[in-house]
């Protein structure tokens, strides 16, 4: 099937499918005229990648997971370790986002939001800029 049909069946945009090919996550056959020819297995792998990316796995992690998925002699421990590391990264990102939220809420509370030009939000950002030049 062509890339449009593979896109419809997998739920991924054709551009994403081509990108996955460019980065080596997928290698469809080529027909005699040189066009990509996606198989049912390719569509299955695309659905796998869509789900993995939806869970936030990076391209490199997807590559590792895809390799493990294809390896029927894999140890589930290897897959579990990738997932554990990913959860740890998500938790770190959540801590960072929570810190940003607290800071912004503090600055929003300090800002009068009136017609005066003074703004604690901008002052804070300018202070951070000055700190990096010191």
């Amino acid at each position: 099937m062509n890339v449009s049909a593979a896109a419809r069946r997998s739920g991924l945009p054709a551009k994403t499918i081509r990108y996955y090919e460019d980065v080596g996550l997928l290698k469809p056959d080529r027909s005699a005229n040189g066009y990509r020819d996606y198989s049912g297995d390719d569509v299955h792998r695309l659905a796998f990648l869509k789900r993995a990316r939806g869970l936030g796995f990076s391209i490199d992690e997807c590559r590792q997971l895809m390799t493990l998925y294809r390896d029927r002699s894999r140890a589930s421990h290897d897959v579990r370790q990738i997932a554990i590391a990913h959860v740890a990264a998500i938790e770190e990102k959540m801590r960072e986002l929570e810190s940003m939220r607290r800071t912004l809420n503090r600055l929003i509370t300090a800002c009068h939001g009136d017609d005066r030009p003074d703004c604690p939000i901008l002052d804070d950002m300018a202070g951070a800029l000055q700190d990096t030049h010191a």
Side-chain angles (χ1 to χ4, degrees):
M1 77 187 77
N2 65 22
V3 70
S4 297
R8 275 192 308 278
R9 289 187 58 195
S10 68
L12 289 169
K15 185 175 182 178
T16 300
I17 294 171
R18 287 186 200 100
Y19 171 72
Y20 287 165
E21 183 182 356
D22 289 344
V23 298
L25 288 174
L26 187 70
K27 186 165 176 53
D29 290 334
R30 295 281 179 161
S31 60
N33 61 8
Y35 291 119
R36 294 171 180 90
D37 185 21
Y38 295 91
S39 67
D41 286 343
D42 290 329
V43 171
H44 184 76
R45 283 189 282 277
L46 287 167
F48 178 96
L49 290 167
K50 180 181 179 187
R51 178 68 173 142
R53 294 290 287 158
L55 291 170
F57 286 101
S58 70
I59 293 295
D60 285 336
E61 289 167 329
C62 285
R63 185 173 286 109
Q64 292 173 331
L65 291 168
M66 184 67 73
T67 298
L68 289 166
Y69 179 68
R70 289 181 188 150
D71 180 2
R72 299 307 301 164
S73 65
R74 69 182 171 261
S76 64
H77 175 267
D78 296 336
V79 179
R80 188 173 191 272
Q81 288 306 114
I82 294 169
I84 287 170
H86 186 61
V87 167
I90 290 170
E91 288 170 347
E92 176 61 27
K93 186 66 171 178
M94 289 172 65
R95 284 189 291 275
E96 291 170 5
L97 289 169
E98 179 59 30
S99 175
M100 284 187 254
R101 186 184 70 76
R102 279 193 310 269
T103 299
L104 283 169
N105 278 332
R106 179 180 49 77
L107 292 170
I108 289 167
T109 300
C111 182
H112 297 291
D114 56 19
D115 292 335
R116 294 183 296 180
D118 59 313
C119 179
I121 299 168
L122 294 176
D123 292 344
D124 181 82
M125 291 179 199
L129 182 61
Q130 291 172 356
D131 291 344
T132 62
H133 290 344

